Amino acid sequence: MVVTEDNNIDHANRIEREHPTKHKERDWWKKSVFYQIYPRSFLDSNADGIGDIAGIRKKLDYLQLLGVDALWISPIFPSPNKDFGYDIQDYCAIDPTFGTLKEFDGLIDDVHKRGMYIVMDGVFNHTSDQHPWFQSSLKKEDKRDWYIWSQTPNNWTSAFGGSAWTYAPTRKKWYLHSFAKEQPDLNWDNPAVEEAILSIMEFWYQRGIDGFRLDVFNCYHKKTGLPDNPKRWDWQGLIGGRFYSYINQEHIHDRDQPELMGCLKRMRALADRYNAVLIGETLDERLRYDNAAQYVGENKLHLAFHFQLLHTRWNPIKMTQACRELQRCFATTWPNIVLSNHDFPRQSKRWGAAEERRKIMAFLSLTQKGTPFIYYGEEIAMQESTLPRKQILDPVGKRFWPFFSGRDGCRTPMQWDESPFGGFSAFEPWLPVHRDYRKRNVALQQRAPLSVWNTYRTLLQLRRQHSALHSGDQQWIASPSACLFYRRKTPEESLVCLLNLGNQSVEIPNVAGKILYHTHPDSSNLLRPYEGIIIKES
Protein backbone atom coordinates (compact mmCIF):
# COMPACT_ATOMS: atom_id res chain seq x y z
CA MET A 1 0.00 0.00 0.00
CA VAL A 2 1.22 3.48 -0.83
CA VAL A 3 -0.01 6.07 1.67
CA THR A 4 1.48 9.54 1.76
CA GLU A 5 2.82 11.03 4.97
CA ASP A 6 0.15 13.72 4.89
CA ASN A 7 -2.58 11.09 4.65
CA ASN A 8 -1.14 9.27 7.64
CA ILE A 9 -1.11 12.41 9.74
CA ASP A 10 -4.66 13.32 8.81
CA HIS A 11 -5.71 9.73 9.32
CA ALA A 12 -4.27 9.67 12.84
CA ASN A 13 -6.04 12.88 13.77
CA ARG A 14 -9.39 11.51 12.63
CA ILE A 15 -9.18 8.46 14.89
CA GLU A 16 -9.52 10.71 17.94
CA ARG A 17 -12.67 12.42 16.64
CA GLU A 18 -16.10 11.37 17.85
CA HIS A 19 -19.10 10.98 15.62
CA PRO A 20 -22.65 9.78 16.43
CA THR A 21 -22.14 6.29 15.00
CA LYS A 22 -18.83 5.52 16.66
CA HIS A 23 -20.66 3.37 19.21
CA LYS A 24 -23.28 2.03 16.80
CA GLU A 25 -25.20 -1.05 17.84
CA ARG A 26 -23.78 -4.41 16.88
CA ASP A 27 -26.10 -5.49 14.06
CA TRP A 28 -26.94 -2.03 12.72
CA TRP A 29 -26.80 -3.32 9.14
CA LYS A 30 -29.76 -5.65 9.71
CA LYS A 31 -32.10 -2.76 10.48
CA SER A 32 -30.70 -0.47 7.81
CA VAL A 33 -31.95 0.29 4.32
CA PHE A 34 -29.04 0.93 1.93
CA TYR A 35 -29.16 3.41 -0.94
CA GLN A 36 -26.68 2.95 -3.77
CA ILE A 37 -25.24 6.13 -5.25
CA TYR A 38 -23.52 6.04 -8.62
CA PRO A 39 -21.47 9.22 -8.02
CA ARG A 40 -20.99 10.25 -11.67
CA SER A 41 -24.75 10.52 -12.03
CA PHE A 42 -26.07 11.76 -8.68
CA LEU A 43 -25.42 15.54 -8.61
CA ASP A 44 -22.82 17.74 -10.31
CA SER A 45 -21.75 20.62 -8.06
CA ASN A 46 -19.11 22.25 -10.26
CA ALA A 47 -20.75 22.29 -13.72
CA ASP A 48 -18.41 19.83 -15.43
CA GLY A 49 -21.19 17.38 -16.27
CA ILE A 50 -20.02 14.73 -13.79
CA GLY A 51 -21.45 14.10 -10.33
CA ASP A 52 -19.12 14.51 -7.37
CA ILE A 53 -18.68 14.26 -3.61
CA ALA A 54 -19.86 17.82 -3.03
CA GLY A 55 -23.04 16.93 -4.92
CA ILE A 56 -23.67 13.96 -2.64
CA ARG A 57 -23.18 16.17 0.41
CA LYS A 58 -25.75 18.61 -0.90
CA LYS A 59 -28.35 15.84 -1.14
CA LEU A 60 -27.87 14.24 2.28
CA ASP A 61 -30.90 16.05 3.65
CA TYR A 62 -32.91 14.61 0.77
CA LEU A 63 -31.73 11.09 1.58
CA GLN A 64 -32.52 11.60 5.25
CA LEU A 65 -36.00 12.85 4.33
CA LEU A 66 -36.54 9.82 2.10
CA GLY A 67 -35.70 7.67 5.10
CA VAL A 68 -32.69 5.56 4.10
CA ASP A 69 -30.12 4.60 6.73
CA ALA A 70 -26.91 3.82 4.85
CA LEU A 71 -25.22 4.89 1.63
CA TRP A 72 -23.25 2.62 -0.68
CA ILE A 73 -20.95 4.79 -2.79
CA SER A 74 -19.79 3.26 -6.08
CA PRO A 75 -16.04 3.69 -6.76
CA ILE A 76 -14.55 7.16 -6.42
CA PHE A 77 -10.87 6.16 -6.49
CA PRO A 78 -8.41 7.35 -9.15
CA SER A 79 -9.07 5.40 -12.33
CA PRO A 80 -8.38 5.50 -16.08
CA ASN A 81 -12.12 4.72 -16.38
CA LYS A 82 -11.83 1.82 -18.78
CA ASP A 83 -14.66 0.40 -16.68
CA PHE A 84 -15.78 3.66 -15.06
CA GLY A 85 -14.14 3.33 -11.67
CA TYR A 86 -14.03 -0.45 -11.41
CA ASP A 87 -10.45 -0.31 -12.69
CA ILE A 88 -8.66 1.28 -9.75
CA GLN A 89 -5.27 2.93 -10.04
CA ASP A 90 -4.85 3.98 -6.38
CA TYR A 91 -6.85 2.48 -3.50
CA CYS A 92 -5.98 5.20 -0.97
CA ALA A 93 -6.94 8.37 -2.79
CA ILE A 94 -9.95 10.11 -4.36
CA ASP A 95 -10.18 10.73 -8.09
CA PRO A 96 -9.97 14.52 -8.67
CA THR A 97 -13.07 14.20 -10.87
CA PHE A 98 -15.04 13.58 -7.70
CA GLY A 99 -13.18 15.81 -5.27
CA THR A 100 -10.49 15.44 -2.63
CA LEU A 101 -9.76 13.21 0.33
CA LYS A 102 -10.64 16.13 2.59
CA GLU A 103 -14.04 16.45 0.91
CA PHE A 104 -14.65 12.75 1.38
CA ASP A 105 -13.77 13.08 5.06
CA GLY A 106 -16.37 15.83 5.18
CA LEU A 107 -18.91 13.52 3.55
CA ILE A 108 -18.22 10.84 6.17
CA ASP A 109 -18.76 13.38 8.95
CA ASP A 110 -21.92 14.77 7.35
CA VAL A 111 -23.37 11.28 6.97
CA HIS A 112 -22.62 10.37 10.57
CA LYS A 113 -24.04 13.62 11.92
CA ARG A 114 -27.37 12.52 10.45
CA GLY A 115 -27.14 9.14 12.17
CA MET A 116 -26.52 7.41 8.85
CA TYR A 117 -23.78 5.06 7.64
CA ILE A 118 -21.49 5.00 4.62
CA VAL A 119 -20.07 2.02 2.73
CA MET A 120 -17.46 2.10 -0.04
CA ASP A 121 -16.93 -0.19 -3.00
CA GLY A 122 -14.06 -2.62 -2.47
CA VAL A 123 -12.87 -3.70 -5.92
CA PHE A 124 -10.19 -6.15 -4.84
CA ASN A 125 -10.32 -8.96 -7.41
CA HIS A 126 -8.45 -6.81 -9.90
CA THR A 127 -6.81 -3.43 -10.36
CA SER A 128 -6.26 -1.13 -13.30
CA ASP A 129 -3.36 -2.06 -15.53
CA GLN A 130 -2.10 1.43 -14.67
CA HIS A 131 -1.83 0.61 -10.96
CA PRO A 132 1.80 0.76 -9.75
CA TRP A 133 1.48 -2.84 -8.58
CA PHE A 134 0.78 -4.09 -12.08
CA GLN A 135 3.43 -1.88 -13.62
CA SER A 136 5.93 -3.42 -11.20
CA SER A 137 4.66 -6.94 -11.98
CA LEU A 138 4.90 -6.24 -15.69
CA LYS A 139 8.58 -5.38 -15.30
CA LYS A 140 9.26 -8.42 -13.07
CA GLU A 141 10.14 -6.17 -10.14
CA ASP A 142 9.08 -6.61 -6.49
CA LYS A 143 5.41 -7.24 -7.40
CA ARG A 144 6.20 -9.87 -10.06
CA ASP A 145 3.92 -12.45 -8.34
CA TRP A 146 1.10 -10.10 -7.36
CA TYR A 147 -0.87 -10.95 -10.49
CA ILE A 148 -1.65 -14.21 -12.28
CA TRP A 149 0.79 -14.98 -15.08
CA SER A 150 1.02 -18.02 -17.34
CA GLN A 151 3.39 -19.21 -20.03
CA THR A 152 0.40 -20.53 -21.98
CA PRO A 153 -3.24 -19.47 -21.55
CA ASN A 154 -5.96 -21.93 -20.61
CA ASN A 155 -9.55 -21.79 -21.91
CA TRP A 156 -10.93 -19.38 -19.31
CA THR A 157 -13.13 -16.62 -20.68
CA SER A 158 -13.73 -13.06 -19.59
CA ALA A 159 -17.09 -11.88 -18.27
CA PHE A 160 -16.70 -9.04 -20.79
CA GLY A 161 -16.28 -11.48 -23.68
CA GLY A 162 -13.44 -13.37 -25.31
CA SER A 163 -10.40 -14.92 -23.67
CA ALA A 164 -9.52 -14.02 -20.08
CA TRP A 165 -5.84 -13.83 -21.07
CA THR A 166 -3.78 -11.09 -22.69
CA TYR A 167 -0.17 -11.43 -23.82
CA ALA A 168 2.35 -8.96 -22.38
CA PRO A 169 5.41 -8.71 -24.67
CA THR A 170 7.40 -6.99 -21.93
CA ARG A 171 7.24 -10.10 -19.78
CA LYS A 172 6.67 -12.63 -22.56
CA LYS A 173 3.79 -14.15 -20.59
CA TRP A 174 0.02 -13.99 -20.47
CA TYR A 175 -1.85 -12.27 -17.61
CA LEU A 176 -5.34 -13.14 -16.40
CA HIS A 177 -8.23 -10.68 -16.45
CA SER A 178 -11.70 -11.91 -15.52
CA PHE A 179 -13.12 -8.71 -17.00
CA ALA A 180 -11.54 -6.14 -19.36
CA LYS A 181 -7.92 -6.57 -20.41
CA GLU A 182 -7.21 -3.31 -18.56
CA GLN A 183 -8.31 -5.03 -15.31
CA PRO A 184 -5.67 -7.66 -14.43
CA ASP A 185 -6.63 -10.09 -11.64
CA LEU A 186 -4.64 -9.97 -8.42
CA ASN A 187 -2.98 -13.16 -7.22
CA TRP A 188 -4.77 -13.79 -3.93
CA ASP A 189 -2.68 -16.93 -3.35
CA ASN A 190 0.20 -14.55 -2.58
CA PRO A 191 -0.14 -13.65 1.14
CA ALA A 192 1.38 -10.23 0.45
CA VAL A 193 -1.64 -9.35 -1.73
CA GLU A 194 -4.11 -10.18 1.03
CA GLU A 195 -2.02 -8.28 3.56
CA ALA A 196 -1.99 -5.21 1.32
CA ILE A 197 -5.76 -5.31 0.77
CA LEU A 198 -6.46 -5.68 4.51
CA SER A 199 -4.19 -2.70 5.13
CA ILE A 200 -6.15 -0.67 2.59
CA MET A 201 -9.45 -1.65 4.18
CA GLU A 202 -8.19 -0.57 7.58
CA PHE A 203 -7.02 2.73 6.12
CA TRP A 204 -10.63 3.52 5.21
CA TYR A 205 -12.14 2.05 8.38
CA GLN A 206 -9.97 4.37 10.42
CA ARG A 207 -11.11 7.30 8.34
CA GLY A 208 -14.60 6.46 9.50
CA ILE A 209 -16.38 4.41 6.84
CA ASP A 210 -18.80 1.72 8.00
CA GLY A 211 -17.99 -1.12 5.63
CA PHE A 212 -17.33 -2.36 2.12
CA ARG A 213 -19.35 -3.80 -0.71
CA LEU A 214 -16.95 -6.38 -2.12
CA ASP A 215 -17.03 -6.53 -5.90
CA VAL A 216 -17.06 -10.14 -7.26
CA PHE A 217 -15.42 -11.39 -4.07
CA ASN A 218 -15.89 -15.06 -4.97
CA CYS A 219 -13.40 -14.62 -7.84
CA TYR A 220 -10.44 -13.84 -5.55
CA HIS A 221 -8.85 -17.30 -5.56
CA LYS A 222 -8.25 -19.52 -8.60
CA LYS A 223 -7.56 -23.25 -8.81
CA THR A 224 -3.88 -24.15 -8.42
CA GLY A 225 -2.43 -25.15 -11.76
CA LEU A 226 -5.05 -23.13 -13.70
CA PRO A 227 -6.83 -26.13 -15.32
CA ASP A 228 -9.32 -25.62 -18.15
CA ASN A 229 -12.97 -25.06 -17.24
CA PRO A 230 -15.37 -27.71 -18.57
CA LYS A 231 -17.90 -26.72 -21.20
CA ARG A 232 -21.43 -25.97 -20.07
CA TRP A 233 -23.77 -28.14 -22.11
CA ASP A 234 -27.14 -26.92 -20.83
CA TRP A 235 -26.82 -23.45 -22.32
CA GLN A 236 -28.21 -22.74 -25.78
CA GLY A 237 -27.11 -19.25 -26.76
CA LEU A 238 -29.53 -17.27 -28.91
CA ILE A 239 -27.05 -14.65 -30.06
CA GLY A 240 -23.95 -16.75 -30.53
CA GLY A 241 -20.89 -17.98 -28.71
CA ARG A 242 -19.04 -14.68 -28.98
CA PHE A 243 -21.51 -12.92 -26.71
CA TYR A 244 -22.15 -15.84 -24.40
CA SER A 245 -18.60 -17.22 -24.27
CA TYR A 246 -18.49 -16.64 -20.51
CA ILE A 247 -21.78 -18.43 -19.88
CA ASN A 248 -20.74 -21.34 -22.09
CA GLN A 249 -18.32 -22.57 -19.41
CA GLU A 250 -18.72 -24.12 -15.97
CA HIS A 251 -16.67 -21.71 -13.89
CA ILE A 252 -15.45 -24.25 -11.37
CA HIS A 253 -11.76 -23.35 -11.46
CA ASP A 254 -11.71 -19.54 -11.71
CA ARG A 255 -13.91 -18.75 -8.69
CA ASP A 256 -15.51 -20.20 -5.52
CA GLN A 257 -12.30 -21.87 -4.36
CA PRO A 258 -11.98 -23.27 -0.79
CA GLU A 259 -9.14 -20.84 0.04
CA LEU A 260 -11.70 -18.03 -0.07
CA MET A 261 -13.16 -19.00 3.32
CA GLY A 262 -9.89 -18.27 5.12
CA CYS A 263 -9.65 -14.92 3.37
CA LEU A 264 -13.20 -13.97 4.38
CA LYS A 265 -12.52 -14.99 7.97
CA ARG A 266 -9.60 -12.57 8.14
CA MET A 267 -11.58 -9.79 6.46
CA ARG A 268 -14.42 -10.34 8.92
CA ALA A 269 -12.09 -10.22 11.92
CA LEU A 270 -10.84 -6.82 10.76
CA ALA A 271 -14.36 -5.55 10.04
CA ASP A 272 -15.58 -6.66 13.47
CA ARG A 273 -12.93 -4.52 15.12
CA TYR A 274 -14.67 -1.49 13.62
CA ASN A 275 -18.24 -2.86 13.74
CA ALA A 276 -18.22 -2.53 9.97
CA VAL A 277 -20.28 -4.48 7.45
CA LEU A 278 -19.03 -6.68 4.60
CA ILE A 279 -21.42 -7.06 1.67
CA GLY A 280 -20.32 -9.45 -1.05
CA GLU A 281 -21.32 -9.45 -4.71
CA THR A 282 -21.44 -13.09 -5.77
CA LEU A 283 -20.65 -13.64 -9.45
CA ASP A 284 -22.82 -16.56 -10.52
CA GLU A 285 -24.61 -16.67 -13.86
CA ARG A 286 -26.68 -19.62 -12.60
CA LEU A 287 -28.25 -17.23 -10.05
CA ARG A 288 -28.15 -19.69 -7.16
CA TYR A 289 -29.24 -18.32 -3.80
CA ASP A 290 -27.45 -21.18 -2.05
CA ASN A 291 -24.12 -20.20 -3.63
CA ALA A 292 -24.39 -16.71 -2.14
CA ALA A 293 -25.72 -18.03 1.17
CA GLN A 294 -22.68 -20.23 1.82
CA TYR A 295 -20.57 -17.10 2.27
CA VAL A 296 -22.77 -15.48 4.94
CA GLY A 297 -22.48 -16.09 8.67
CA GLU A 298 -20.06 -16.03 11.55
CA ASN A 299 -16.45 -15.56 10.36
CA LYS A 300 -17.79 -14.84 6.87
CA LEU A 301 -19.65 -11.99 5.20
CA HIS A 302 -22.56 -10.20 6.87
CA LEU A 303 -24.50 -10.08 3.59
CA ALA A 304 -24.08 -11.52 0.10
CA PHE A 305 -25.82 -10.23 -3.01
CA HIS A 306 -27.79 -12.68 -5.10
CA PHE A 307 -29.61 -11.79 -8.29
CA GLN A 308 -32.23 -14.47 -8.82
CA LEU A 309 -35.16 -12.17 -8.09
CA LEU A 310 -33.59 -9.33 -10.07
CA HIS A 311 -33.33 -11.64 -13.09
CA THR A 312 -36.84 -13.06 -12.74
CA ARG A 313 -39.23 -11.90 -15.46
CA TRP A 314 -42.57 -10.36 -14.48
CA ASN A 315 -44.22 -13.65 -13.78
CA PRO A 316 -46.05 -13.57 -10.42
CA ILE A 317 -45.62 -17.27 -9.76
CA LYS A 318 -41.89 -17.25 -10.50
CA MET A 319 -41.39 -14.07 -8.48
CA THR A 320 -43.16 -15.47 -5.45
CA GLN A 321 -41.12 -18.66 -5.78
CA ALA A 322 -37.91 -16.61 -5.90
CA CYS A 323 -38.88 -14.79 -2.70
CA ARG A 324 -39.63 -18.05 -0.91
CA GLU A 325 -36.33 -19.53 -2.07
CA LEU A 326 -34.49 -16.46 -0.83
CA GLN A 327 -35.92 -16.81 2.66
CA ARG A 328 -35.24 -20.57 2.68
CA CYS A 329 -31.57 -20.26 1.71
CA PHE A 330 -30.86 -17.51 4.25
CA ALA A 331 -33.08 -18.94 7.01
CA THR A 332 -30.20 -19.36 9.47
CA THR A 333 -28.33 -16.15 8.56
CA TRP A 334 -29.69 -12.88 7.15
CA PRO A 335 -30.88 -12.14 3.60
CA ASN A 336 -30.66 -8.98 1.57
CA ILE A 337 -33.09 -7.83 -1.08
CA VAL A 338 -31.73 -6.18 -4.20
CA LEU A 339 -33.95 -5.28 -7.16
CA SER A 340 -31.63 -2.98 -9.15
CA ASN A 341 -28.05 -1.81 -9.38
CA HIS A 342 -25.49 -0.23 -11.72
CA ASP A 343 -24.98 -3.41 -13.77
CA PHE A 344 -28.57 -4.27 -14.68
CA PRO A 345 -31.35 -2.55 -16.63
CA ARG A 346 -33.72 -0.58 -14.46
CA GLN A 347 -36.95 -2.10 -13.22
CA SER A 348 -38.88 -0.18 -15.87
CA LYS A 349 -37.20 -2.23 -18.61
CA ARG A 350 -37.23 -5.58 -16.83
CA TRP A 351 -40.72 -5.39 -15.33
CA GLY A 352 -42.58 -2.74 -17.30
CA ALA A 353 -43.05 0.99 -16.85
CA ALA A 354 -46.33 0.85 -14.89
CA GLU A 355 -45.91 2.73 -11.61
CA GLU A 356 -48.24 0.33 -9.80
CA ARG A 357 -45.58 -2.36 -10.33
CA ARG A 358 -42.89 -0.08 -8.95
CA LYS A 359 -44.98 0.46 -5.83
CA ILE A 360 -45.66 -3.21 -5.20
CA MET A 361 -41.97 -4.02 -5.68
CA ALA A 362 -41.08 -1.32 -3.16
CA PHE A 363 -43.55 -3.00 -0.82
CA LEU A 364 -41.96 -6.40 -1.46
CA SER A 365 -38.46 -5.06 -0.87
CA LEU A 366 -39.20 -3.10 2.31
CA THR A 367 -41.51 -5.50 4.17
CA GLN A 368 -39.75 -8.87 3.80
CA LYS A 369 -37.11 -10.12 6.21
CA GLY A 370 -33.73 -8.89 5.07
CA THR A 371 -31.68 -5.79 4.37
CA PRO A 372 -33.03 -3.86 1.35
CA PHE A 373 -30.88 -2.04 -1.20
CA ILE A 374 -32.35 0.81 -3.26
CA TYR A 375 -30.60 1.96 -6.44
CA TYR A 376 -30.65 5.71 -6.98
CA GLY A 377 -33.63 6.89 -9.02
CA GLU A 378 -35.77 3.82 -8.44
CA GLU A 379 -37.62 5.80 -5.77
CA ILE A 380 -39.06 7.92 -8.60
CA ALA A 381 -39.37 4.97 -11.01
CA MET A 382 -36.66 6.32 -13.32
CA GLN A 383 -36.83 4.77 -16.77
CA GLU A 384 -34.08 2.90 -18.58
CA SER A 385 -32.54 5.05 -21.31
CA THR A 386 -31.95 3.79 -24.83
CA LEU A 387 -28.85 5.41 -26.27
CA PRO A 388 -27.72 5.56 -29.91
CA ARG A 389 -24.47 3.78 -30.62
CA LYS A 390 -22.46 6.99 -30.82
CA GLN A 391 -23.41 7.88 -27.22
CA ILE A 392 -22.55 4.51 -25.67
CA LEU A 393 -19.62 4.74 -23.26
CA ASP A 394 -19.78 1.39 -21.45
CA PRO A 395 -17.04 -0.90 -22.82
CA VAL A 396 -19.40 -3.87 -22.70
CA GLY A 397 -22.00 -1.98 -24.73
CA LYS A 398 -19.41 -0.90 -27.29
CA ARG A 399 -18.24 -4.47 -27.74
CA PHE A 400 -21.60 -6.20 -28.01
CA TRP A 401 -23.78 -3.58 -29.70
CA PRO A 402 -26.40 -4.08 -31.15
CA PHE A 403 -27.05 -7.39 -29.32
CA PHE A 404 -26.46 -5.69 -25.97
CA SER A 405 -26.20 -1.94 -25.56
CA GLY A 406 -24.42 -2.06 -22.22
CA ARG A 407 -25.07 -0.55 -18.83
CA ASP A 408 -25.24 3.16 -19.64
CA GLY A 409 -29.04 3.06 -19.74
CA CYS A 410 -29.30 2.48 -15.99
CA ARG A 411 -26.59 5.02 -15.13
CA THR A 412 -28.10 8.22 -16.54
CA PRO A 413 -28.22 11.35 -14.35
CA MET A 414 -30.62 11.61 -11.44
CA GLN A 415 -33.74 13.58 -12.30
CA TRP A 416 -34.17 16.17 -9.56
CA ASP A 417 -36.51 18.72 -11.11
CA GLU A 418 -37.84 20.22 -14.36
CA SER A 419 -34.90 22.55 -14.99
CA PRO A 420 -32.43 21.88 -17.84
CA PHE A 421 -30.62 18.56 -17.47
CA GLY A 422 -33.07 17.58 -14.76
CA GLY A 423 -31.37 19.71 -12.12
CA PHE A 424 -28.38 17.36 -12.22
CA SER A 425 -25.93 19.86 -13.72
CA ALA A 426 -25.61 23.30 -15.23
CA PHE A 427 -23.53 21.73 -17.99
CA GLU A 428 -24.25 18.94 -20.46
CA PRO A 429 -23.92 15.68 -18.48
CA TRP A 430 -21.53 12.83 -19.20
CA LEU A 431 -24.59 10.76 -20.19
CA PRO A 432 -27.82 12.30 -21.46
CA VAL A 433 -30.66 12.78 -18.99
CA HIS A 434 -33.68 10.63 -19.81
CA ARG A 435 -36.04 12.55 -22.06
CA ASP A 436 -38.96 12.23 -19.60
CA TYR A 437 -37.25 14.20 -16.80
CA ARG A 438 -39.76 17.07 -16.98
CA LYS A 439 -42.63 14.76 -16.02
CA ARG A 440 -40.66 12.34 -13.83
CA ASN A 441 -38.48 13.94 -11.19
CA VAL A 442 -38.07 14.22 -7.45
CA ALA A 443 -39.66 17.66 -7.10
CA LEU A 444 -42.87 16.62 -8.84
CA GLN A 445 -43.18 13.32 -7.01
CA GLN A 446 -42.61 14.85 -3.61
CA ARG A 447 -45.70 17.00 -4.21
CA ALA A 448 -47.86 14.06 -5.34
CA PRO A 449 -49.19 12.08 -2.35
CA LEU A 450 -49.72 8.88 -4.36
CA SER A 451 -46.38 8.95 -6.20
CA VAL A 452 -43.77 6.20 -6.19
CA TRP A 453 -41.51 8.49 -4.12
CA ASN A 454 -44.12 8.89 -1.41
CA THR A 455 -44.73 5.14 -1.45
CA TYR A 456 -41.06 4.58 -0.69
CA ARG A 457 -40.99 7.26 1.97
CA THR A 458 -44.06 5.95 3.77
CA LEU A 459 -42.80 2.36 3.73
CA LEU A 460 -39.37 3.47 4.94
CA GLN A 461 -41.00 5.35 7.82
CA LEU A 462 -43.09 2.33 8.76
CA ARG A 463 -40.06 0.07 8.60
CA ARG A 464 -38.19 2.30 11.01
CA GLN A 465 -41.15 2.66 13.38
CA HIS A 466 -42.05 -1.04 13.60
CA SER A 467 -39.50 -3.52 14.90
CA ALA A 468 -41.37 -6.39 13.22
CA LEU A 469 -40.52 -4.93 9.78
CA HIS A 470 -36.82 -4.42 10.34
CA SER A 471 -35.99 -7.19 12.83
CA GLY A 472 -38.87 -9.67 12.95
CA ASP A 473 -38.98 -13.27 11.85
CA GLN A 474 -40.90 -14.06 8.68
CA GLN A 475 -43.57 -16.75 8.65
CA TRP A 476 -45.33 -17.69 5.43
CA ILE A 477 -49.12 -17.72 5.31
CA ALA A 478 -50.98 -19.79 2.73
CA SER A 479 -51.80 -17.63 -0.28
CA PRO A 480 -52.92 -17.77 -3.92
CA SER A 481 -50.07 -18.54 -6.33
CA ALA A 482 -49.70 -14.92 -7.53
CA CYS A 483 -49.59 -13.54 -3.98
CA LEU A 484 -47.26 -13.45 -1.02
CA PHE A 485 -48.79 -13.48 2.46
CA TYR A 486 -46.44 -13.46 5.42
CA ARG A 487 -46.24 -12.48 9.07
CA ARG A 488 -43.38 -10.36 10.44
CA LYS A 489 -43.15 -10.91 14.16
CA THR A 490 -41.15 -9.85 17.21
CA PRO A 491 -42.07 -10.36 20.88
CA GLU A 492 -43.47 -6.82 20.85
CA GLU A 493 -45.70 -6.94 17.76
CA SER A 494 -47.01 -8.97 14.85
CA LEU A 495 -47.67 -7.55 11.39
CA VAL A 496 -49.29 -9.36 8.47
CA CYS A 497 -48.15 -8.32 5.00
CA LEU A 498 -50.32 -9.15 2.00
CA LEU A 499 -49.21 -8.41 -1.55
CA ASN A 500 -50.69 -9.29 -4.89
CA LEU A 501 -48.32 -9.49 -7.86
CA GLY A 502 -51.01 -10.76 -10.21
CA ASN A 503 -53.61 -9.03 -12.37
CA GLN A 504 -56.65 -10.55 -10.64
CA SER A 505 -58.22 -9.53 -7.33
CA VAL A 506 -58.17 -12.10 -4.52
CA GLU A 507 -59.89 -12.41 -1.18
CA ILE A 508 -58.22 -10.87 1.83
CA PRO A 509 -57.65 -13.47 4.54
CA ASN A 510 -59.41 -13.01 7.83
CA VAL A 511 -56.90 -11.18 10.03
CA ALA A 512 -57.97 -9.52 13.25
CA GLY A 513 -56.27 -6.17 13.51
CA LYS A 514 -55.80 -2.68 12.16
CA ILE A 515 -54.64 -1.75 8.67
CA LEU A 516 -51.43 0.28 8.98
CA TYR A 517 -50.91 0.85 5.28
CA HIS A 518 -52.06 -0.08 1.81
CA THR A 519 -50.64 0.95 -1.53
CA HIS A 520 -53.99 1.91 -3.05
CA PRO A 521 -55.76 5.18 -2.20
CA ASP A 522 -59.00 3.55 -1.04
CA SER A 523 -59.86 0.44 0.91
CA SER A 524 -61.60 -2.62 -0.50
CA ASN A 525 -62.83 -6.03 0.60
CA LEU A 526 -60.50 -7.55 -1.98
CA LEU A 527 -56.74 -7.49 -2.49
CA ARG A 528 -56.56 -5.87 -5.89
CA PRO A 529 -53.89 -6.31 -8.58
CA TYR A 530 -50.51 -4.87 -7.50
CA GLU A 531 -51.84 -3.98 -4.05
CA GLY A 532 -50.02 -4.37 -0.77
CA ILE A 533 -51.51 -4.18 2.72
CA ILE A 534 -49.91 -4.19 6.17
CA ILE A 535 -52.15 -5.21 9.08
CA LYS A 536 -51.14 -4.91 12.74
CA GLU A 537 -52.60 -7.89 14.50
CA SER A 538 -54.60 -7.30 17.66
Side-chain angles (χ1 to χ4, degrees), residues 156-165 177-181 245-246 251:
W156 295 358
T157 51
S158 162
F160 283 5
S163 173
W165 297 91
H177 51 89
S178 296
F179 298 91
K181 64 181 177 64
S245 60
Y246 188 76
H251 291 274

Side-chain angles (χ1 to χ4, degrees), residues 265-397:
K265 182 178 180 179
R266 292 181 285 276
M267 280 190 170
R268 177 64 179 263
L270 176 61
D272 285 349
R273 285 171 49 194
Y274 294 91
N275 198 3
V277 67
L278 293 176
I279 307 158
E281 178 200 26
T282 317
L283 184 63
D284 180 12
E285 68 281 349
R286 287 186 177 273
L287 311 175
R288 299 164 296 184
Y289 280 140
D290 55 348
N291 190 38
Q294 70 173 315
Y295 296 115
V296 176
E298 188 176 353
N299 294 324
K300 303 177 185 178
L301 302 174
H302 301 83
L303 300 167
F305 283 150
H306 42 78
F307 301 122
Q308 184 175 330
L309 181 58
L310 188 152
H311 275 282
T312 303
R313 294 182 181 275
W314 190 269
N315 178 311
I317 294 176
K318 290 184 177 180
M319 296 181 88
T320 56
Q321 289 173 342
C323 290
R324 290 176 182 274
E325 180 70 4
L326 164 65
Q327 295 297 332
R328 184 191 69 80
C329 287
F330 289 86
T332 60
T333 53
W334 192 258
N336 64 76
I337 304 167
V338 55
L339 303 181
S340 303
N341 71 19
H342 62 289
D343 283 331
F344 297 93
R346 287 190 177 273
Q347 293 182 37
S348 63
K349 183 173 182 178
R350 288 180 282 117
W351 294 329
E355 290 196 355
E356 57 188 1
R357 292 188 179 183
R358 300 290 73 70
K359 292 179 183 180
I360 197 62
M361 293 309 287
F363 187 100
L364 179 150
S365 173
L366 296 171
T367 61
Q368 285 198 84
K369 178 182 177 181
T371 299
F373 285 75
I374 301 170
Y375 184 50
Y376 85 97
E378 292 291 8
E379 74 270 27
I380 59 168
M382 268 179 63
Q383 307 293 291
E384 177 84 0
S385 287
T386 301
L387 304 179
R389 186 178 187 181
K390 64 182 180 181
Q391 291 183 320
I392 292 174
L393 301 178
D394 180 19
V396 181

Side-chain angles (χ1 to χ4, degrees), residues 246-262:
Y246 188 76
I247 302 177
N248 282 339
Q249 290 186 358
E250 298 283 5
H251 291 274
I252 62 173
H253 297 314
D254 53 350
R255 63 184 194 219
D256 297 306
Q257 298 302 301
E259 294 85 356
L260 178 59
M261 291 301 186

